[in-house]
Structures are given as structure tokens and as C-alpha cells.
Amino acid sequence: MERFDVIIIGSGPGGMAAAYDLADKGKNVAVVEADLWGGTCPNRGCDPKKVLYGAVEARDNLLQLEKRGFNTIPEINWTDLMAFKETFTKSVPTEQKEGLTSAGIHTITGKAFFKDTQTIEVCGELYQADKIILATGQRSAILDIPGKEYFSTSTDFLSMQDLPKKLAFVGGGYISLELANIASSCGSEVHLLHHNERPLKGFDELLTEELIEHLKSRGITFHFNESAEEISKSGAQFEVSLTSKETLLVDRIFCATGRIPNVEGMGLTEIGVEHTHKGLVVNDYLQTTVETIYALGDCLEKQQPKLTPVASFEGSYLANLFTGKNEKIHYPLIPTIIFSSPKLAQIGLTDLSALKSTEYEVSDLDLSQWYTYKRINEPLVKAKIVTEKRTGLLVGATVLGNEADQLINLFTLMINQKLPAEKINEMILLYPTVASDLSYLY
């Protein structure tokens, strides 16, 4: 039986961060992976999605300048785009595993099952460790309706070699919106079903409404207060029965109604690790209900957004915790974004009830006539800026626009560093850029 200081179950960005940091600190580490080395993000998640989105973004920029320097707007060739995407994803598992090996980290391929609180079994072999980290991530949830076997998932979308003519997406979250936007921009007829009138419920309602109206103008058909009740095969297509008793006939239907943690089939309940349908229960040290077992990333039940950089942050935190830095985890404010057309991003205080407090000043700005955006003829650019009246400090922001990611990253630095407007005004930043507008925004 091999023994290690730490065994990490899952090789996604969070598990990798912990593994490399622990190895750098002299720990004897093993990583177990039952699927693709590198995890969801680089293989079938944010990285390949962003490659596809990059083509959409490039075409959108040309569309804005049609008859303003460009007379011909190219169509996106899905086959070529997917081939380009493969240049990023094909080598990921091999490279990720080789990277661990070259760093002196032991790799174990297979599904882990807990024999006790310090011992796991993988493919008939036993391994022990002083501490074990669960970094198993999550997967797509599938609606339990008749014909659910016909649902495709985001993983299927990101591996499609041909783009169907007519698609339906079930769900009103960021995955559904992002993939629907990509498909529509690449030429598909796209329908999106959501069970109520409020998609993207974690984002500012008014700016979300503006985004939805813009996506409608781009060709996406939204069916609000509508759900898929049943799916049946109809020749080469799928017939989707809706709550309204109407039907949709599509070439493919994708379920994007949420994700569920990968915690089953590992013997966790038997050894006393508590978990719910939302994930593993941990304390302020990312420790589960079993003293020797910790967890990080998307398999956790937590308030923080389940994002790749958050998992990496948690991995580095655990490496420090295991090597003497005995402090509770403290998260900075975390930005979130929808990579749609345009992007919608936010940071800090955005809750509507909190913004009604007299402690804050809220500014709603239309930036479409600002030079930064007008020079590229960007039609929809808006921002909501929240400052604390007592201190004048920026405490929250939401941005809708093509440069929302850049602006929110700058706001994230300002909020986490508590930079007052005076400090921003003392800086000389490149002009004309998104950053040079900061002194007018804040």
C-alpha cells in the first residue's frame, strides 16, 4: 500500500493548484483522476467555450463597423472553428498529466472509493494519506421528464462537429445564455425556454432585461414561463412538448438547468462525510465533517460562485493550511460574468434591496456615446456604479457591454484594495482606453 502526505481526488484547476503548491512545499502528493486530466474547464468548459465565443466576438466587432470601414461581414464556419478549438483541447489531458509527473507528483487513473477516512481504493489498489482533498467538481443536471434521454448537455455542445439548423436550450442561467448566443451567432435558429420571467437571477434585473432584448434582436427566441414537459423522437428531429401545450420541433435540445456535485459512489456517507444536493459541507478551513478530509471547488456547498479562479484560490489556500498557515479562508470580492453579446459582468454590492438603503449612491450610466465605445460604434453599453456615501468608496458595479470584462476587472482591483477616487485621479493611464474612463465613472 502506497502512502502519501496528501491525496487529491480530481485534477481540475483547484486540485492542480493544491497539488503543485504542496509539491513545491516538499509534500509527497498524489492526484487521482477518473476522467480527463485537467478537469472540466480546459477540456469541456470555460476554455473551449471561450474559443468559440472569440469568433462570435470578432464577427460582432465587424458588424458594428458595417458600412463604416467594412462592407463584407464574414460568416462563421463552424467546422473550421471546431477544428481550431480542438487545437486547444486535444492535448490537454496528456499535457496536464505529464506536468504533474514532471513536478514529482504521483498520478493515479481511476475512480476513488473510500475504505476509511485515510484510505482510498482505485482499480483494486489501496492508497493512504494523512489528508485527502476532494476536488471532484460537478456535472450537468438533467431534468427528470419523459424523453430525458434525448437531452444533450454543454459537453455535447462543445464537441459538435456540425451545427444543427434548429436548437432549443432549456434553462435561463449563464450556460444556457452563452451557448445559445454562440449557436445563434453561428447561424442556427435558437429557442430558449425558461420556467419563469427572470433569467440570470443573480444579475441586475434591468440590465438583464436590456441584454435579453438585445439578444432577441439578434435572433434568439425566448419562451418565458415555459418548460419542457416531454421530449419525443420525430424522425431525425425531436418534438418538445411545452407547458403551454404547444410543441417545438428541433434538431437538438440541450438541458442547462444547473449542475450537481460529483459526490456519489465514493463511499463518503459511509465514512461520515456530510453532503447535500448542493455539495459537500465544509467549515471555514474547507474541512469536511471528517477531520482528515477537505474539499474545494465546485463540489462544495457554498455561497461563493463556482468558478475556476475560485477553485484555484481554494487549492492554494489548502496548500498553505497544510504547511503551517492556520487561518480561516477569507475570500476577496469575486467578479462574475456572462460571455454573451454583449457581456454582462458584476462585482461587489448588487443586491436590489441593499441598494435601496440610504447608505449608498447608485448611478445608472449610458456609455454608448462615450468616445471609448462610440469610436467602434458599440450600440449597447451601460453601467451601474454603487458607492458608499460615508466613505465615497466604490462598493459595487454592473457593466453591460463588449468591454465589460476589462472594466469589471479594474473595478475588482479598486474595490478589494479600497482605492478612493482621489487615488484613481492621481494615476495617469493610457488614453483612449477603458481604463482612462475610470475617473469619470467613479
Side-chain angles (χ1 to χ4, degrees):
M1 183 187 304
E2 292 189 71
R3 186 170 183 86
F4 301 91
D5 295 323
V6 182
I7 292 176
I8 300 165
I9 303 175
S11 68
M16 288 293 203
Y20 281 115
D21 286 1
L22 285 164
D24 285 343
K25 296 173 188 296
K27 295 295 184 181
N28 183 19
V29 181
V31 177
V32 183
E33 178 55 63
D35 193 8
L36 296 177
W37 288 91
T40 297
C41 181
N43 283 294
R44 51 170 79 106
C46 34
D47 285 6
K49 175 202 69 182
K50 194 68 186 292
V51 173
L52 303 186
Y53 177 74
V56 173
E57 197 171 21
R59 186 171 185 271
D60 286 349
N61 289 335
L62 293 178
L63 278 169
Q64 289 173 191
L65 294 172
E66 188 173 15
K67 301 190 186 321
R68 294 170 177 80
F70 292 91
N71 294 323
T72 303
I73 309 301
E75 297 300 316
I76 295 174
N77 184 305
W78 182 265
T79 302
D80 290 348
L81 179 57
M82 290 299 287
F84 181 52
K85 185 268 297 182
E86 284 293 312
T87 65
F88 291 88
T89 58
K90 188 175 182 179
S91 61
V92 167
T94 300
E95 291 175 349
Q96 293 290 317
K97 187 176 181 181
E98 289 177 348
L100 290 169
T101 301
S102 65
I105 298 166
H106 192 79
T107 59
I108 305 168
T109 301
K111 185 172 178 63
F113 183 86
F114 280 85
K115 304 298 286 185
D116 60 45
T117 59
Q118 291 182 289
T119 308
I120 61 169
E121 180 180 350
V122 183
C123 298
E125 298 291 330
L126 297 178
Y127 304 90
Q128 280 192 338
D130 297 332
K131 294 182 176 68
I132 298 175
I133 298 174
L134 290 162
T136 51
Q138 55 184 355
R139 65 187 186 279
S140 297
I142 300 297
L143 284 177
D144 188 14
I145 62 172
K148 64 182 179 181
E149 64 271 18
Y150 297 125
F151 270 128
S152 296
T153 67
S154 59
T155 296
D156 300 314
F157 182 93
L158 294 171
S159 62
M160 289 192 306
Q161 295 307 303
D162 299 299
L163 184 65
K165 291 182 180 179
K166 188 173 181 180
L167 304 176
F169 293 85
V170 179
Y174 75 94
I175 293 176
S176 194
L177 264 289
E178 289 179 342
L179 299 187
N181 179 59
I182 290 171
S184 175
S185 300
C186 290
S188 288
E189 178 186 333
V190 173
H191 295 259
L192 190 147
L193 313 176
H194 187 50
H195 66 276
N196 60 36
E197 295 179 342
R198 180 75 168 90
L200 303 178
K201 63 181 179 181
F203 282 79
D204 181 86
E205 185 170 3
L206 293 179
L207 290 180
T208 295
E209 288 176 1
E210 296 247 19
L211 171 60
I212 297 302
E213 289 304 311
H214 191 72
L215 291 175
K216 286 180 181 178
S217 73
R218 291 169 60 92
I220 298 177
T221 301
F222 288 86
H223 303 260
F224 292 128
N225 296 309
E226 194 78 277
S227 298
E229 299 287 336
E230 183 177 354
I231 307 170
S232 57
K233 202 83 167 66
S234 178
Q237 294 182 298
F238 301 98
E239 185 175 84
V240 187
S241 301
L242 308 179
T243 308
S244 62
K245 306 306 179 185
E246 295 184 3
T247 59
L248 264 179
L249 192 64
V250 296
D251 299 308
R252 205 153 182 183
I253 180 167
F254 294 89
C255 189
T257 53
R259 294 176 70 79
I260 53 178
N262 294 319
V263 296
E264 307 94 340
M266 301 173 65
L268 293 175
T269 301
E270 289 79 358
I271 62 169
V273 176
E274 183 181 346
H275 55 87
T276 71
H277 69 284
K278 293 182 178 179
L280 296 160
V281 176
V282 295
N283 61 19
D284 291 335
Y285 299 89
L286 300 185
Q287 186 180 44
T288 70
T289 47
V290 171
E291 184 180 8
T292 55
I293 301 174
Y294 294 73
L296 61 80
D298 293 356
C299 63
L300 296 185
E301 179 186 70
K302 60 182 178 181
Q303 297 299 315
Q304 290 73 25
K306 295 186 175 184
L307 302 171
T308 294
V310 180
S312 298
F313 179 86
E314 291 165 346
S316 295
Y317 162 79
L318 283 179
N320 287 328
L321 181 71
F322 292 176
T323 53
K325 193 174 181 181
N326 190 27
E327 297 177 358
K328 295 179 181 179
I329 190 167
H330 174 73
Y331 295 92
L333 288 177
I334 301 166
T336 54
I337 188 168
I338 307 296
F339 285 105
S340 55
S341 297
K343 301 165 190 162
L344 179 62
Q346 66 182 22
I347 177 70
L349 188 64
T350 56
D351 180 72
L352 184 62
S353 59
L355 297 184
K356 292 179 179 178
S357 167
T358 56
E359 297 177 32
Y360 305 105
E361 181 175 340
V362 181
S363 300
D364 291 294
L365 303 173
D366 185 339
L367 310 182
S368 59
Q369 296 304 303
W370 290 32
Y371 176 75
T372 302
Y373 307 99
K374 193 174 182 180
R375 69 178 179 81
I376 52 175
N377 198 39
E378 189 171 344
L380 180 59
V381 197
K382 295 195 174 182
K384 176 170 285 187
I385 309 298
V386 185
T387 53
E388 187 179 48
K389 289 181 179 179
R390 181 178 59 83
T391 62
L393 290 174
L394 180 71
V395 292
T398 305
V399 181
L400 177 63
N402 292 345
E403 301 296 332
D405 48 352
Q406 304 300 328
L407 200 48
I408 283 295
N409 275 336
L410 292 170
F411 285 150
T412 300
L413 289 171
M414 293 163 60
I415 293 174
N416 281 315
Q417 296 299 317
K418 293 184 169 29
L419 289 177
E422 293 76 16
K423 286 293 182 183
I424 302 300
N425 291 332
E426 289 173 4
M427 300 177 187
I428 299 176
L429 302 169
L430 289 173
Y431 175 86
T433 64
V434 170
S436 64
D437 291 335
L438 286 178
S439 59
Y440 303 104
L441 286 162
Y442 171 42

